[in-house]
Amino acid sequence: MAVVALKPGYADAVEIRDRKENFHGNQVVYLHWEEHLSFCAATAFPLPPEMPLGALTEKLIPQFYGMHPDFKSLDWNSVEWKIDGEPATPDMSKSLAENGVGHKSLVCFRTPGLNGYKGSCS
Amino acid sequence: MLANIDEEWREMIVKYLIPLRHYEWGANMNACAVSDAGYGAALTSAMIFTTGDRLGIAQILSRIGIVLSEGDAELLGRAKQAWMEADAWQGVRKAIEDSLVEKDWFEVLLAQFLVMDGMVYPLVYKHFDTAGQKHGAAALSILCEFMVDWSAEHNRWVDAVVKTAVKESDENRVLLSDWYGKWRSIMSEALQPQAAMVLGDGGEAVLNEVCEQLDARASKLGLTL
Amino acid sequence: MTPPRKKKMNLKQRYALMTRGLDWETSYQKMDDVFPYDTFEGIKITDWSKWEDPFRLTMDAYWKYQGEKERKLYAVLDSFAQNNGQQGISDARYVNAIKLFLTGVTPLEYQAHRHFAHLGRHIRGVGPRVAAQMQSLDELRHAQTQIHTISHYNKYFDGFAEFPHMHDRVWYLSVPKSFFDDACSAGPFEFFTAISFAFEYVLTNLLFVPFMSGAAYNGDLATVTFGFSAQSDEARHMTLGIEVIKFMLEQHPDNLPIVQKWVDKWFWRGHKVLGLVAMMMDYMLPKRIMSWKEAWEIYFTEAGGALFEDLSRYGLRVPKYADIATDEAEHISHQNWAIFYQYTQAAGFHTWLPNDEELDWLSEKCPNTFDKYYRPRFEMWREMEAKGERFYNNALPQLCQTCQIPMGYTEPGDPTKIGFRSSVYKDERYHFCSQGCKDIFDDEPEKFSQAWLLVHQIFQGNCGGADLSDVLKWYHMDQGIDNMDYTGSPDQKQWDAWQAARKKVAG
């Protein structure tokens, strides 16, 4: 369905507010650690598309998820990844863009065996 | 209470006063339009209260019509017919209808509350009312007291708004003066048959006086005539 | 001969003369130009004269009643102030519910005033037009009396002073704000459906009863009084809502699918906004009235069930996803409080972890969910607090494109998984917290692709800077005063000092 608008041509004149061009060379990337819902929602970051995906595991995830008691047991080799809902095997040395992580992509990671505080998915 | 009014003047009241309930309804819509489209609570909040006040005045006039009609709707029906068809009312009705499609809310504010009200209120509630005193209509003045008091208070608000806008810039002054001139000329013409109907030969002079007083008020607000 | 006595008019006829009798069919201008907004939505009204006025209130009566009510209200407020009523509340934590109300709800009253003025001018039928004008007046008066009432708390507690500024900027306040912006930028019939029907009729008891009973239970006489004062107006607003719905459905069969779509949309949007109230009820009241789940059962499942049964004769069915919303009644408050707990640094009120007694109350009220999914979360955070490692989420959350809430809601039937949904529109990806929010977007992507999402605005450089301190400044929030946990806040210090002074007096 399309919007029912009073003004003729409304739909064509729409300014999409969060176009990639508005982020000063960055794209928005969302991260989510599955079965760890003490992080209430996926997190958002403005990142250069050419940034290596490995920076997520080396820098961003430790910085923003490192306080979780499960984090110290995290083994990156066993992590299961999903990019925009599709299972993925990302190449850490390649860029976000090369790994198919686009503007407003959702990157989920699951850590088998680690499923939150006392297994509660928190 | 209204029983002391001459038969002839009762007819006159049905012709000049009761149709004003529709004028008030137009003013109600214009106040509501400014409350809707205006910018700033100082204007828009005041205008929703005015919206209610103008509906209230329309209802006071309706009640007067019902009382004069001894409890039924006959006179209201005749007054409505006058508003819709009588030559004397067409200029005013057209002015109101034109204001209802005006897109600039500030022009609506100025047209309705400075110019139209600035002529209609003194003409009706002062001059026509005075003429009615010779016909036993003293009780009518009491029923219309609210309108007199209300408009004195409301005019202070209108003047403050227009004055502030005029002072803001030369551009504003020029634009507002244009609008003032436009609506003043529409209304002074529209009210001529009213004045003649109620005041006869004296009508023209009275209307001129009303216009002059409004001009004096407008000049004080900084408008260029 | 005396003329026959005239037959007296009844109240209905008199009221008709006082309202629709004032109106006329314009001839110098086209009616469609005088009323340019009431046809484009596709709602067909064949005969406005069929409108039955749900109440008859002339302006003189309106002014008289409202004047009397407000005199009483201000007398109570004066005495509340003179008797230092702020010291008689259950606990200073309670005041945070009032902060949420003033920043989140009062500005909506004002928005309602503005937009009912739009309807009060632009609806062609005089009956609903006059009703809308009165509602516009009511809503303005409610905003004013709420601000007056709450201004007393502003003298003693933080978080109130910048409420209109905050309403326009703060992340969680964009939830109620965008809800109303959505309604105000719709056509007049959708607005009636959204606000008068879905919000004022179907869901209003879930907003006002919790706040007002909460106030009564927690010793806040001032807030109770403005609630009472508003009540008779609310009754009018509700009848307007139901009458508009029935009128649209009676006027033309083509209206049904349009109205149904709006009912579905605004039920879901209302449910999401009310999640803030759910959290207030289950977590923020030191003395609790009932749980959100209980309130939902009484006011939506039972009352709403009867309502939609009644409306089924028009072909209208229960809103889409009502079953999901009902399931969520046992989750939404916990999920929301968890959001605020971890983003306390950016909240304009104080947060805290529920104590043991409160945890037990939550277990009892949500036996199917609380101990399994949410108690461990709070226990983990409590352990971390005890170690001096209070849990803050230092990254910004992903927001739902439609309701603008951080995407913290779980998959229906599986509270261990976030219920991610997304759509692609004009090569851009959009994310949603739920199927309900996705459906709303998919129906009008043109509209919602323009949504102002705070997180993205920060990244675009429109919110004072990239650091939390920059954004707080831009919010007009004072670090360490308006935000963060209740424990250690200036509010708490003040309250403790009052309590100590009382004990001293009591000897």
Side-chain angles (χ1 to χ4, degrees), chain B residues 22-60:
Chain B
H22 304 292
Y23 171 82
E24 290 297 328
W25 180 237
N28 157 283
M29 289 171 70
N30 276 333
C32 207
V34 177
S35 188
D36 167 29
Y39 187 82
L43 294 173
T44 55
S45 296
M47 279 280 106
I48 199 64
F49 285 107
T50 303
T51 302
D53 289 339
R54 299 308 284 260
L55 175 59
I57 293 171
Q59 291 174 341
I60 292 174

Short mmCIF file of all heavy atoms in Angstrom, two decimals, chain B residues 22-60:
data_model
loop_
_atom_site.label_atom_id
_atom_site.label_comp_id
_atom_site.label_asym_id
_atom_site.label_seq_id
_atom_site.Cartn_x
_atom_site.Cartn_y
_atom_site.Cartn_z
N HIS B 22 -24.91 33.95 12.81
CA HIS B 22 -24.11 33.29 11.76
C HIS B 22 -22.76 33.98 11.58
O HIS B 22 -21.76 33.34 11.32
CB HIS B 22 -24.91 33.26 10.45
CG HIS B 22 -26.23 32.60 10.60
ND1 HIS B 22 -26.37 31.26 10.86
CD2 HIS B 22 -27.50 33.11 10.60
CE1 HIS B 22 -27.66 30.95 10.98
NE2 HIS B 22 -28.37 32.06 10.83
N TYR B 23 -22.78 35.29 11.73
CA TYR B 23 -21.51 36.03 11.70
C TYR B 23 -20.60 35.52 12.82
O TYR B 23 -19.41 35.28 12.62
CB TYR B 23 -21.80 37.53 11.87
CG TYR B 23 -20.56 38.38 12.09
CD1 TYR B 23 -19.78 38.78 11.02
CD2 TYR B 23 -20.18 38.76 13.38
CE1 TYR B 23 -18.63 39.54 11.23
CE2 TYR B 23 -19.05 39.52 13.59
CZ TYR B 23 -18.27 39.91 12.52
OH TYR B 23 -17.14 40.66 12.73
N GLU B 24 -21.19 35.32 14.00
CA GLU B 24 -20.40 34.84 15.14
C GLU B 24 -19.86 33.43 14.88
O GLU B 24 -18.77 33.08 15.30
CB GLU B 24 -21.25 34.84 16.42
CG GLU B 24 -21.57 36.24 16.94
CD GLU B 24 -20.32 37.00 17.36
OE1 GLU B 24 -19.35 36.37 17.82
OE2 GLU B 24 -20.32 38.24 17.22
N TRP B 25 -20.67 32.64 14.22
CA TRP B 25 -20.24 31.27 13.88
C TRP B 25 -19.06 31.34 12.91
O TRP B 25 -18.11 30.55 13.00
CB TRP B 25 -21.42 30.51 13.30
CG TRP B 25 -21.16 29.09 12.89
CD1 TRP B 25 -21.36 28.56 11.66
CD2 TRP B 25 -20.68 28.01 13.71
NE1 TRP B 25 -21.03 27.22 11.65
CE2 TRP B 25 -20.61 26.85 12.90
CE3 TRP B 25 -20.29 27.91 15.05
CZ2 TRP B 25 -20.18 25.62 13.37
CZ3 TRP B 25 -19.86 26.67 15.53
CH2 TRP B 25 -19.82 25.55 14.69
N GLY B 26 -19.10 32.28 11.97
CA GLY B 26 -17.95 32.50 11.09
C GLY B 26 -16.73 32.92 11.89
O GLY B 26 -15.61 32.43 11.66
N ALA B 27 -16.94 33.81 12.86
CA ALA B 27 -15.81 34.25 13.70
C ALA B 27 -15.27 33.10 14.53
O ALA B 27 -14.06 32.98 14.75
CB ALA B 27 -16.28 35.39 14.61
N ASN B 28 -16.17 32.24 14.97
CA ASN B 28 -15.75 31.04 15.71
C ASN B 28 -14.82 30.20 14.84
O ASN B 28 -13.75 29.75 15.26
CB ASN B 28 -17.01 30.25 16.11
CG ASN B 28 -16.77 28.77 16.37
OD1 ASN B 28 -16.64 27.98 15.44
ND2 ASN B 28 -16.73 28.36 17.63
N MET B 29 -15.20 30.01 13.58
CA MET B 29 -14.36 29.19 12.68
C MET B 29 -13.02 29.87 12.41
O MET B 29 -11.99 29.22 12.33
CB MET B 29 -15.10 28.94 11.37
CG MET B 29 -16.27 27.98 11.55
SD MET B 29 -17.27 27.88 10.07
CE MET B 29 -16.19 27.02 8.95
N ASN B 30 -13.06 31.18 12.28
CA ASN B 30 -11.80 31.88 12.03
C ASN B 30 -10.87 31.83 13.24
O ASN B 30 -9.66 31.67 13.11
CB ASN B 30 -12.07 33.33 11.61
CG ASN B 30 -12.38 33.43 10.12
OD1 ASN B 30 -11.92 32.59 9.33
ND2 ASN B 30 -13.15 34.43 9.74
N ALA B 31 -11.44 31.97 14.43
CA ALA B 31 -10.61 31.87 15.64
C ALA B 31 -10.00 30.48 15.72
O ALA B 31 -8.81 30.30 16.02
CB ALA B 31 -11.45 32.15 16.88
N CYS B 32 -10.81 29.47 15.41
CA CYS B 32 -10.32 28.10 15.46
C CYS B 32 -9.24 27.86 14.40
O CYS B 32 -8.27 27.15 14.64
CB CYS B 32 -11.51 27.16 15.27
SG CYS B 32 -11.28 25.56 16.04
N ALA B 33 -9.40 28.50 13.25
CA ALA B 33 -8.40 28.37 12.19
C ALA B 33 -7.06 28.95 12.64
O ALA B 33 -6.00 28.38 12.36
CB ALA B 33 -8.88 29.08 10.92
N VAL B 34 -7.11 30.06 13.36
CA VAL B 34 -5.85 30.67 13.84
C VAL B 34 -5.25 29.79 14.93
O VAL B 34 -4.03 29.58 14.98
CB VAL B 34 -6.08 32.11 14.34
CG1 VAL B 34 -4.78 32.68 14.89
CG2 VAL B 34 -6.62 32.99 13.22
N SER B 35 -6.11 29.23 15.79
CA SER B 35 -5.59 28.34 16.83
C SER B 35 -4.94 27.11 16.19
O SER B 35 -3.93 26.61 16.68
CB SER B 35 -6.73 27.90 17.75
OG SER B 35 -6.21 27.20 18.85
N ASP B 36 -5.50 26.66 15.10
CA ASP B 36 -4.96 25.49 14.38
C ASP B 36 -3.64 25.82 13.69
O ASP B 36 -2.63 25.17 13.90
CB ASP B 36 -6.00 25.02 13.35
CG ASP B 36 -5.45 24.04 12.33
OD1 ASP B 36 -4.52 23.29 12.67
OD2 ASP B 36 -5.97 24.01 11.20
N ALA B 37 -3.66 26.90 12.89
CA ALA B 37 -2.53 27.12 11.98
C ALA B 37 -1.51 28.11 12.53
O ALA B 37 -0.40 28.19 12.04
CB ALA B 37 -3.05 27.63 10.63
N GLY B 38 -1.88 28.87 13.55
CA GLY B 38 -0.99 29.91 14.07
C GLY B 38 0.27 29.34 14.69
O GLY B 38 0.38 28.13 14.92
N TYR B 39 1.21 30.21 14.97
CA TYR B 39 2.46 29.78 15.59
C TYR B 39 2.65 30.49 16.92
O TYR B 39 2.62 31.70 16.98
CB TYR B 39 3.65 30.05 14.66
CG TYR B 39 4.92 29.46 15.19
CD1 TYR B 39 5.20 28.11 14.99
CD2 TYR B 39 5.81 30.23 15.95
CE1 TYR B 39 6.36 27.54 15.52
CE2 TYR B 39 6.97 29.66 16.47
CZ TYR B 39 7.23 28.32 16.25
OH TYR B 39 8.36 27.76 16.77
N GLY B 40 2.84 29.72 17.97
CA GLY B 40 3.12 30.29 19.29
C GLY B 40 1.90 30.25 20.18
O GLY B 40 0.81 30.67 19.80
N ALA B 41 2.11 29.73 21.41
CA ALA B 41 1.00 29.55 22.34
C ALA B 41 0.34 30.88 22.69
O ALA B 41 -0.85 30.92 22.99
CB ALA B 41 1.49 28.86 23.61
N ALA B 42 1.10 31.98 22.67
CA ALA B 42 0.52 33.28 23.01
C ALA B 42 -0.66 33.58 22.09
O ALA B 42 -1.64 34.20 22.49
CB ALA B 42 1.57 34.37 22.92
N LEU B 43 -0.56 33.14 20.85
CA LEU B 43 -1.65 33.36 19.90
C LEU B 43 -2.63 32.20 19.90
O LEU B 43 -3.84 32.38 19.98
CB LEU B 43 -1.09 33.53 18.48
CG LEU B 43 -0.24 34.77 18.24
CD1 LEU B 43 0.38 34.70 16.86
CD2 LEU B 43 -1.10 36.01 18.36
N THR B 44 -2.10 30.99 19.78
CA THR B 44 -2.99 29.86 19.52
C THR B 44 -3.82 29.49 20.75
O THR B 44 -4.96 29.06 20.61
CB THR B 44 -2.19 28.65 19.02
OG1 THR B 44 -1.16 28.35 19.96
CG2 THR B 44 -1.55 28.94 17.68
N SER B 45 -3.25 29.64 21.96
CA SER B 45 -4.05 29.34 23.15
C SER B 45 -5.17 30.35 23.29
O SER B 45 -6.32 29.99 23.55
CB SER B 45 -3.18 29.36 24.42
OG SER B 45 -2.21 28.35 24.36
N ALA B 46 -4.83 31.63 23.12
CA ALA B 46 -5.86 32.66 23.25
C ALA B 46 -6.97 32.42 22.22
O ALA B 46 -8.15 32.60 22.51
CB ALA B 46 -5.24 34.04 23.04
N MET B 47 -6.58 31.98 21.04
CA MET B 47 -7.57 31.84 19.97
C MET B 47 -8.53 30.67 20.20
O MET B 47 -9.65 30.69 19.71
CB MET B 47 -6.86 31.69 18.61
CG MET B 47 -6.41 33.02 18.03
SD MET B 47 -7.75 33.95 17.21
CE MET B 47 -8.06 35.24 18.36
N ILE B 48 -8.12 29.64 20.94
CA ILE B 48 -9.09 28.58 21.20
C ILE B 48 -10.09 29.05 22.25
O ILE B 48 -11.27 28.68 22.21
CB ILE B 48 -8.44 27.22 21.57
CG1 ILE B 48 -9.43 26.08 21.36
CG2 ILE B 48 -7.95 27.18 22.99
CD1 ILE B 48 -9.87 25.86 19.94
N PHE B 49 -9.64 29.89 23.17
CA PHE B 49 -10.61 30.45 24.12
C PHE B 49 -11.59 31.38 23.38
O PHE B 49 -12.79 31.37 23.64
CB PHE B 49 -9.89 31.19 25.25
CG PHE B 49 -9.26 30.25 26.24
CD1 PHE B 49 -7.87 30.07 26.29
CD2 PHE B 49 -10.03 29.50 27.11
CE1 PHE B 49 -7.29 29.19 27.18
CE2 PHE B 49 -9.47 28.61 28.01
CZ PHE B 49 -8.08 28.44 28.05
N THR B 50 -11.06 32.14 22.42
CA THR B 50 -11.93 32.99 21.61
C THR B 50 -12.92 32.14 20.81
O THR B 50 -14.09 32.51 20.65
CB THR B 50 -11.08 33.84 20.64
OG1 THR B 50 -10.16 34.59 21.41
CG2 THR B 50 -11.95 34.78 19.82
N THR B 51 -12.45 31.00 20.33
CA THR B 51 -13.34 30.09 19.60
C THR B 51 -14.57 29.77 20.45
O THR B 51 -15.71 29.86 19.99
CB THR B 51 -12.58 28.78 19.26
OG1 THR B 51 -11.42 29.10 18.50
CG2 THR B 51 -13.46 27.81 18.48
N GLY B 52 -14.30 29.41 21.70
CA GLY B 52 -15.40 29.11 22.62
C GLY B 52 -16.26 30.33 22.88
O GLY B 52 -17.50 30.25 22.89
N ASP B 53 -15.61 31.47 23.07
CA ASP B 53 -16.37 32.70 23.34
C ASP B 53 -17.32 33.03 22.19
O ASP B 53 -18.46 33.45 22.40
CB ASP B 53 -15.41 33.88 23.56
CG ASP B 53 -14.67 33.77 24.89
OD1 ASP B 53 -15.15 33.05 25.78
OD2 ASP B 53 -13.60 34.41 25.03
N ARG B 54 -16.83 32.88 20.96
CA ARG B 54 -17.67 33.26 19.82
C ARG B 54 -18.83 32.28 19.64
O ARG B 54 -19.92 32.69 19.23
CB ARG B 54 -16.84 33.35 18.53
CG ARG B 54 -15.73 34.38 18.59
CD ARG B 54 -16.16 35.77 19.02
NE ARG B 54 -16.86 36.54 18.04
CZ ARG B 54 -16.32 37.51 17.28
NH1 ARG B 54 -15.05 37.83 17.40
NH2 ARG B 54 -17.06 38.16 16.42
N LEU B 55 -18.61 31.01 19.94
CA LEU B 55 -19.73 30.08 19.93
C LEU B 55 -20.72 30.50 21.01
O LEU B 55 -21.94 30.52 20.80
CB LEU B 55 -19.24 28.65 20.18
CG LEU B 55 -20.33 27.57 20.32
CD1 LEU B 55 -21.20 27.49 19.07
CD2 LEU B 55 -19.70 26.20 20.61
N GLY B 56 -20.20 30.88 22.17
CA GLY B 56 -21.05 31.34 23.26
C GLY B 56 -21.88 32.55 22.85
O GLY B 56 -23.09 32.61 23.14
N ILE B 57 -21.28 33.50 22.16
CA ILE B 57 -22.02 34.69 21.72
C ILE B 57 -23.08 34.31 20.70
O ILE B 57 -24.22 34.78 20.75
CB ILE B 57 -21.05 35.76 21.18
CG1 ILE B 57 -20.17 36.28 22.33
CG2 ILE B 57 -21.82 36.91 20.53
CD1 ILE B 57 -19.03 37.19 21.89
N ALA B 58 -22.72 33.41 19.78
CA ALA B 58 -23.71 32.94 18.80
C ALA B 58 -24.89 32.31 19.53
O ALA B 58 -26.04 32.44 19.10
CB ALA B 58 -23.07 31.93 17.85
N GLN B 59 -24.60 31.64 20.63
CA GLN B 59 -25.69 30.98 21.38
C GLN B 59 -26.51 31.99 22.19
O GLN B 59 -27.73 31.83 22.34
CB GLN B 59 -25.11 29.87 22.26
CG GLN B 59 -24.60 28.71 21.40
CD GLN B 59 -23.87 27.62 22.16
OE1 GLN B 59 -23.41 27.83 23.28
NE2 GLN B 59 -23.73 26.45 21.53
N ILE B 60 -25.88 33.06 22.67
CA ILE B 60 -26.65 34.13 23.33
C ILE B 60 -27.62 34.74 22.33
O ILE B 60 -28.81 34.92 22.61
CB ILE B 60 -25.70 35.23 23.89
CG1 ILE B 60 -24.87 34.68 25.05
CG2 ILE B 60 -26.51 36.46 24.34
CD1 ILE B 60 -23.80 35.65 25.56
#
